[in-house]
Structure formats: C-alpha cells, structure tokens
Amino acid sequence: MFTRTTNQMERPTAPLRSRLRVLHGPEAGLEIELPRAGLVIGASEASDVTLSDPLVSSRHCSVRPTAGGFEVTDLGSTNGTSYDGALLAKARLPVGAVLGVGSTLLQLLPDEEVLEIPPSAATSFGNLVGSSLAMRRIYALLDRAAASNASVLLLGESGTGKEVAARAVHDASPRRNGPFVIFDGGAAAENLVESDLFGHTRGAFTGADRDRLGAFALAHGGTLFLDEIGDLPLRLQPKLLRLLETGTVQPVGGARQQAYDVRIIAATHHDLRTEVARGTFRGDVYYRLAVVEVHLPALRERLDDIPDLTRAFLEREGVRVPSVDALAGKNLDRLRGYSWPGNVRELRNAISRAVALGPKGACFAEMPVMIGSVQRFEPEAPIDRPFSEAKAELVEQFEKAYVRNLLAKYGDNMTEAAKVAGLERKHLYRILARLGITPGRGDRNDG
C-alpha cells in the first residue's frame, strides 16, 4: 500500500523537510522546497522567493522550518504578514498553515514521502471484506495504524465503508476496551455542533438547563470517529485544532479547559486538499488529522470482491452460504455487471432486499435481486395459509425493503427520510423498532 507520511511524525526533534506552495496570487501553483535554514520572501529579485504581487514588500517576511512547524517573521513589510486573519510580527505556525503575504496566500507543508507497505495476506479486516489487492493493501495499512495512536483520515465516496473501517481500527487497537463514539458532522445541526462536540455547561445558552458532555468527553480513553469532517464549520476548526494539539478543550460556557485522552479517526467524501485551497477547510487541521491517510476504493474499482461481499451480507441476514462457489449463477453475474454508484452500502441493501422479498428458506439463485432502476416484481402469493397471515408476511417484507432503501438513499438522515416517506419522524422510528432495524448502527455494515 502506498501512503503519505511526514517527517514531522518520524523525527519530532529535527526541523521539518518541508515545502511552500502558492495557493493564490500571480504565482499560484508555484511550489518550492524550504531549506532548513529558511528563506526570505519578497518582491525583490534578491529574495529567495520572488513574488510579483504589487502588495508584497521587497523583503516581506522570512519562513524557517522547525521541529513542530514553521517560524515566520515579518521583516517590516508595508502591508504586513497575516495568519488566520491576524497580523503577526513573529510566530510559530503549525503544519498546513496558510500565510497571507500582500494579496498572496502561501501554504506551509511537510515534505511528503511514499512508503510501500506489503499487502496483507488476510481477506478481511474487522467487517471490511474483500480479497482484492486494493483491499489487502488497505488491511495492511489499517493494521499498522491500529497499533499506534496516530490520527487516521479515511477518504472515499459515500458507501465505501469508512465507518466500518474506523470501527475495525478501534477494535484492533490497544483502545479496543474503551468507548467508540461516532460524531456525524453532516447530520449535526449547525447551531449545536460546538455543544455536541465539546459539551456545554448549564446556562451556556437558551435551553441549556444542565451540563452536557460532548463527543470528546464521551470518547475519553477510546476512539472518536468524526464522520464527514469536511462539513465542520470553519469557525469551529481552530477549537478542534487546539484539542488535537493539546488534548484539552473548553466546553461552551465553561471557565476551565478539560483534558481528554482520545484517538481521532476522521472521514469525509470531500476532497479536503481542494477545500484547503479554497479556504473552506483549514490546512493545519487537515495535516493534523491526516497523519495516516487512507483512500477506500469505490466498489466499481474492486468488482472481484462482490462474491465475498455477497456471501458476507447473506450470512448477516441469516442465510447460510457454504462457499462462494455456491453463489455462481445469473444473480451473481448481474451483481458483477453493475456499476454500483452507491458502493458497498448499495450492494448490502440489494442483498437485504433480495432476502426480504424472496421465498422463505430460498437460496441466493432463487432470490429476486433488483438493482439499478426500479424493476417490476411479482410477489409470492402462497395459498397454503390464511389470507390475513400471508398478507401480513408480505406487508412486513415490503416494509423492510422500503425502509432499508429509504435509509440507504438518505444516509440515515431520519428527518429527510421521514419527509420523503410522508411520515412523522416518530412514526418512522416506531416502524424501524418493530422491524428490528437500527438506523446507522446495527443495520449499517457497509463493507
């Protein structure tokens, strides 16, 4: 497996091998290596890095890599040197920091190295399933990451199994006996995100009638999975960075910092590097999260794993499959010939639907496998039992298939799912409870 690491993690006492990238300005796209002695940035040709921005002074500022980041000094420039909206005279900045020099934006980055990790011999890692080379490389990387306390960033399309991968890393780590807490940044209400993450004290805001522990406090001693971290509001990212760097945070309305021992695993389907360049995600937060960066492939990129995944999902539905070879036939051929825009989650739901709508005790070849566009299906109408009993069974099969498809499409966003279904949210929860389906957890094995 090829993965990105930085010398910051390997040699914390030595200056960073690092780079400077121009994100915005006349020289946008320019990228140069930062020598250990540092360099001077300015408009003069005598500067180490010459910028044609008219707002840049002849000798504007200097940048020098240090053990934990960068030392930046303004050299008496006319328009100043800024970081995070504030002018600085001299400051130490973290990896990924974006520096304002005139109207030009510069990003301070660690030098990247490519490490080759031999693929694992295993065909699964936790509930991740598949024997393809791509997945075996991921298993090897996740296994190494699990043994450390390094932050992990999981990237990939929706439905590729990022939450399953996070759980697998936790279960294989020394923190396996501690809590595994999930915070979904995409589903959290924006006005409550800070409280949900960091907690609040009584009276912190209207409606705060008692102290509340946030996700970091709940995950103390274990792992916090920050799902859809790309949706975290920009205003809260400095507070997250402080917690990542120091392990402490101040609850909303609190007077003191609280310390937490938490391992962070984050995930998103966004391209965070692009978001950093746009200024919608902080570069220093990105590099602090992406100590180990893992890209989970789309299912269309590993179609050879479909037999193993199908067998795993069937067995989770209570259907015994003696071997992968027993799945051979038209149904499996159809699964392998589809592009799977919803990835492993869509395959899981297709299998759940086939089991729910198929005859009791049916083998895979006898199940109605429906994928892609809506297909017509003639249900079984047995006459060997009373009408009411047969109807109740068929209605239950329909309800299971309907709500599973609903949750698959709307990502377990219960408010949106209920709206589309034309149901009250509490009514939808009652249906799920009756059918034994737990949104987002027990019924969510994305591969």
Side-chain angles (χ1 to χ4, degrees):
M1 179 69 195
F2 294 90
T3 183
R4 182 177 59 76
T5 65
T6 73
N7 287 328
Q8 179 188 21
M9 300 307 300
E10 297 167 6
R11 292 194 299 258
T13 60
L16 285 168
R17 286 179 53 189
S18 50
R19 299 170 291 132
L20 182 147
R21 177 188 297 161
V22 181
L23 296 178
H24 176 77
E27 283 73 35
L30 174 67
E31 192 167 310
I32 63 171
E33 182 177 348
L34 274 172
R36 293 192 177 191
L39 46 72
V40 173
I41 300 167
S44 168
E45 292 186 1
S47 300
D48 299 306
V49 179
T50 304
L51 300 177
S52 57
D53 182 345
L55 298 179
V56 171
S57 298
S58 57
R59 284 172 54 85
H60 199 103
C61 66
S62 66
V63 178
R64 183 177 66 85
T66 64
F70 302 87
E71 182 180 89
V72 177
T73 305
D74 185 79
L75 301 177
S77 66
T78 301
N79 295 303
T81 302
S82 65
Y83 169 65
D84 204 17
L87 294 176
L88 60 84
K90 185 173 184 177
R92 292 204 169 201
L93 303 184
V95 170
V98 176
L99 196 64
V101 178
S103 62
T104 296
L105 296 178
L106 309 172
Q107 189 173 23
L108 308 175
L109 304 170
D111 198 16
E112 295 179 352
E113 298 180 344
V114 175
L115 302 179
E116 184 174 2
I117 299 176
S120 171
T123 58
S124 64
F125 184 75
N127 279 336
L128 291 171
V129 173
S131 55
S132 64
L133 180 60
M135 292 306 294
R136 289 189 291 110
R137 283 175 167 168
I138 285 172
Y139 303 155
L141 178 56
L142 294 179
D143 187 53
R144 287 198 184 188
S148 73
N149 204 40
S151 299
V152 177
L153 179 62
L154 302 170
L155 301 174
E157 297 176 10
S158 295
T160 49
K162 296 185 287 293
E163 181 179 324
V164 179
R167 169 70 76 171
V169 170
H170 171 77
D171 289 344
S173 76
R175 295 173 175 266
R176 65 180 66 90
N177 295 323
F180 178 77
V181 176
I182 299 171
F183 175 81
D184 189 345
E190 186 169 350
N191 62 327
L192 295 177
V193 170
E194 187 173 11
S195 172
D196 290 343
L197 264 180
F198 308 118
H200 67 246
T201 60
R202 180 181 178 185
F205 50 83
T206 303
D209 56 354
R210 66 190 70 184
D211 290 353
R212 181 188 177 188
L213 296 177
F216 278 96
L218 295 173
H220 182 64
T223 301
L224 176 59
F225 176 51
L226 298 174
D227 199 7
E228 291 306 340
I229 189 65
D231 292 328
L232 185 68
L234 193 61
R235 64 181 178 82
L236 294 182
Q237 291 177 27
K239 193 166 184 176
L240 173 61
L241 179 64
R242 285 195 295 275
L243 194 144
L244 293 171
E245 294 287 353
T246 67
T248 63
V249 71
Q250 189 168 318
V252 179
R256 292 181 298 177
Q257 296 282 331
Q258 304 289 332
Y260 301 117
D261 172 24
V262 178
R263 197 261 180 89
I264 301 296
I265 302 177
T268 183
H269 69 279
H270 293 288
D271 182 345
L272 287 190
R273 292 197 182 200
T274 299
E275 299 298 326
V276 169
R278 290 174 179 165
T280 55
F281 198 88
R282 289 178 60 119
D284 43 12
V285 176
Y286 165 68
Y287 277 97
R288 186 62 183 81
L289 291 171
V291 176
V292 179
E293 188 173 287
V294 182
H295 295 254
L296 293 173
L299 184 54
R300 63 182 173 276
E301 297 169 357
R302 57 181 188 112
L303 293 175
D304 288 345
D305 287 335
I306 283 181
D308 289 331
L309 287 164
T310 300
R311 183 186 186 190
F313 291 142
L314 284 168
E315 293 192 335
R316 291 176 198 178
E317 294 288 336
V319 178
R320 184 177 175 276
V321 182
S323 69
V324 170
D325 293 338
L327 300 174
K330 291 182 179 180
N331 274 345
L332 185 62
D333 292 343
R334 293 185 64 233
L335 296 181
R336 299 182 75 162
Y338 181 56
S339 61
W340 300 106
N343 292 297
V344 180
R345 182 184 294 129
E346 185 181 2
L347 173 61
R348 180 206 67 193
N349 283 282
I351 299 303
S352 296
R353 180 166 56 244
V355 173
L357 298 180
K360 274 194 171 182
C363 66
F364 181 62
E366 299 169 337
M367 293 179 184
V369 173
M370 297 183 290
I371 55 177
S373 59
V374 177
Q375 304 174 44
R376 294 185 62 84
F377 169 60
E378 189 71 24
E380 291 286 325
I383 58 173
D384 59 348
R385 69 192 77 174
F387 172 81
S388 59
E389 184 180 318
K391 179 182 176 182
E393 181 179 319
L394 186 60
V395 168
E396 182 177 341
Q397 290 175 352
F398 163 78
E399 288 180 335
K400 283 185 176 180
Y402 183 91
V403 297
R404 280 171 169 154
N405 290 342
L406 193 68
L407 297 180
K409 182 172 182 179
Y410 293 99
D412 299 328
N413 183 331
M414 295 298 289
T415 300
E416 186 65 21
K419 180 180 177 182
V420 170
L423 299 170
E424 292 289 336
R425 197 164 180 261
K426 60 183 179 181
H427 186 194
L428 180 55
Y429 270 113
R430 283 198 295 268
I431 292 174
L432 293 173
R434 175 165 52 80
L435 297 175
I437 298 174
T438 303
R441 299 296 172 262
D443 194 54
R444 188 175 178 182
N445 298 304
D446 306 6

